[in-house]
Amino acid sequence: MKWGLPWPGAECAARAEASGARAFCAGEFSDANAYVTSAEMALRTSAAMVGPGVAYAFARSPFVHASAVRHLSKWAPGRVFLGLGSGTPRMNRDWFAACADHPAARMAELVEAIRAYLQAENGEAVRYSGRFYTVDADIRAPVLGRLDVPILIGAFNRIMLRTAGRVADGVLGHGLFTDRWWTETAEPALATGCADSGRDPAALHRWGWLITAINDADPVRAIRDARMQIAFYLTVRTYDPLVELHGWQDQVAAIRAAFGSGRPDQIGDHVTDDMLWSIAVCGDAAQAHEMLRARKHLPDTAFLAPPSFLVGTRRRLHYDAAAIAFAGEFA
């Protein structure tokens, strides 16, 4: 397994690269832009892949995504990837003021339209015609030329996974992905998507986030932070198919009741050991190694992601440092 990190800052990233980190990714929120962070990553690293993991897809046009990728590639040639996520219907409607109906079909067209910009040669018009996106850009300035950048989709449900298999270069798995979700849901859906377009499933990138909280001095707190992060993710109903696959409905109902009662600090109490060991790597280094060995299907490249829910910046940096030391042992 190759490994990387969500962007931990330049100083920590230098240690990570020296220890074998292959990639850094940038998420986004209302106070953090994935492309701005990706620019910092491109300028402050030397060998690792860098890119959004994920950028909100429908909040930007194909032109904006493609121009950002081209700009990043000037600073990190051959090291840029693009991860796209659809976001929730509420976020697209209420936060981004963006159209996001038929998200899987829209995502497929967006990937194709971005590629039209990235594969255009100088002197050629950029053209794409679809149901959701139409492009007819006669760009006379000599700024194009084919650029091969892996485009990955942050896909969770079967329909979006099939879309990733059909049009993208790979998938960015969510931090909740378990071995069973990879093998029983993700892999069959990716294979179906590849078959629809005559592609080889083996050629796809299978990257993903892996909740990682290691603290030899206080493993109990690390375990609690991992439980809290799992519980926080599971407050979102999008992930109910995974819950149903594992039979975790009662636990998730208790998590949502606690979250809705105004006591979010208690939601982790309802994450069982089975849930914890199926999803996370946590505790002291010895237990983390045991949990990693117990997993049978991990991403090809795993972003060792520290918990963030009710976890401060200082503690996240500690988890980053511990993850680097841990991963450096098997890099």
Side-chain angles (χ1 to χ4, degrees):
M1 181 186 75
K2 298 176 183 179
W3 65 279
L5 295 171
W7 182 239
E11 182 179 345
C12 193
R15 297 198 304 272
E17 278 197 294
S19 298
R22 302 295 186 89
F24 297 100
C25 66
E28 62 183 351
F29 198 59
S30 55
D31 61 345
N33 183 286
Y35 285 116
V36 173
T37 306
S38 293
E40 181 184 357
M41 296 191 298
L43 293 169
R44 303 302 294 270
T45 58
S46 59
M49 297 288 289
V50 296
V54 296
Y56 291 124
F58 308 140
R60 303 170 174 91
S61 71
F63 173 88
V64 172
H65 285 296
S67 63
V69 168
R70 283 193 178 275
H71 201 150
L72 289 170
S73 294
K74 295 176 184 178
W75 295 330
R79 296 197 291 121
V80 176
F81 68 90
L82 172 56
L84 296 169
S86 62
T88 66
R90 181 177 63 85
M91 292 169 70
N92 282 288
R93 182 188 65 243
D94 298 342
W95 296 17
F96 312 147
C99 293
D101 56 321
H102 306 285
R106 186 180 292 272
M107 180 70 80
E109 286 195 11
L110 178 63
V111 170
E112 293 169 345
I114 292 170
R115 280 218 187 94
Y117 275 108
L118 296 181
Q119 294 178 356
E121 298 289 355
N122 286 312
E124 294 181 357
V126 182
R127 292 194 173 94
Y128 180 82
S129 180
R131 176 182 174 188
F132 304 104
Y133 297 99
T134 299
V135 175
D136 187 1
D138 189 4
I139 300 172
R140 297 303 178 100
V143 295
L144 300 180
R146 185 182 179 91
L147 190 63
D148 291 318
V149 171
I151 301 178
L152 291 77
I153 295 176
F156 187 90
N157 64 50
R158 289 176 176 85
I159 297 175
M160 194 65 80
L161 286 161
R162 288 199 295 269
T163 300
R166 183 165 58 84
V167 302
D169 297 299
V171 63
L172 270 168
H174 193 277
L176 286 175
F177 273 31
T178 63
D179 287 354
R180 288 189 64 189
W181 192 256
W182 273 112
T183 58
E184 297 180 32
T185 300
E187 290 294 350
L190 291 170
T192 298
C194 285
D196 290 343
S197 55
R199 308 169 76 205
D200 181 4
L204 293 178
H205 296 292
R206 292 163 174 81
W207 295 10
W209 289 51
L210 180 63
I211 297 170
T212 307
I214 302 170
N215 188 336
D216 285 333
D218 194 352
V220 173
R221 184 164 197 173
I223 292 169
R224 175 168 176 76
D225 285 343
R227 290 185 195 274
M228 291 284 285
Q229 187 65 48
I230 292 168
F232 179 65
Y233 282 148
L234 290 174
T235 61
V236 179
R237 296 188 183 279
T238 299
Y239 309 126
D240 282 354
L242 180 142
V243 173
E244 294 164 6
L245 176 68
H246 285 276
W248 295 336
Q249 293 94 326
D250 290 345
Q251 294 89 337
V252 171
I255 288 168
R256 291 173 182 169
F259 192 69
S261 71
R263 294 303 307 270
D265 57 312
Q266 295 180 355
I267 61 176
D269 297 345
H270 305 289
V271 174
T272 65
D273 287 347
D274 175 48
M275 298 166 74
L276 186 72
W277 280 67
S278 295
I279 295 170
V281 171
C282 60
D284 58 20
Q287 176 170 302
H289 278 294
E290 185 179 356
M291 297 175 86
L292 193 67
R293 287 193 298 268
R295 295 290 296 271
K296 304 303 181 186
H297 195 130
L298 287 163
D300 300 334
T301 296
F303 293 104
L304 308 182
S308 58
F309 181 65
L310 300 184
V311 176
T313 301
R314 183 179 299 179
R315 197 150 84 248
R316 289 200 301 273
L317 288 173
H318 176 90
Y319 286 141
D320 283 329
I324 292 168
F326 173 75
E329 298 177 16
F330 60 80

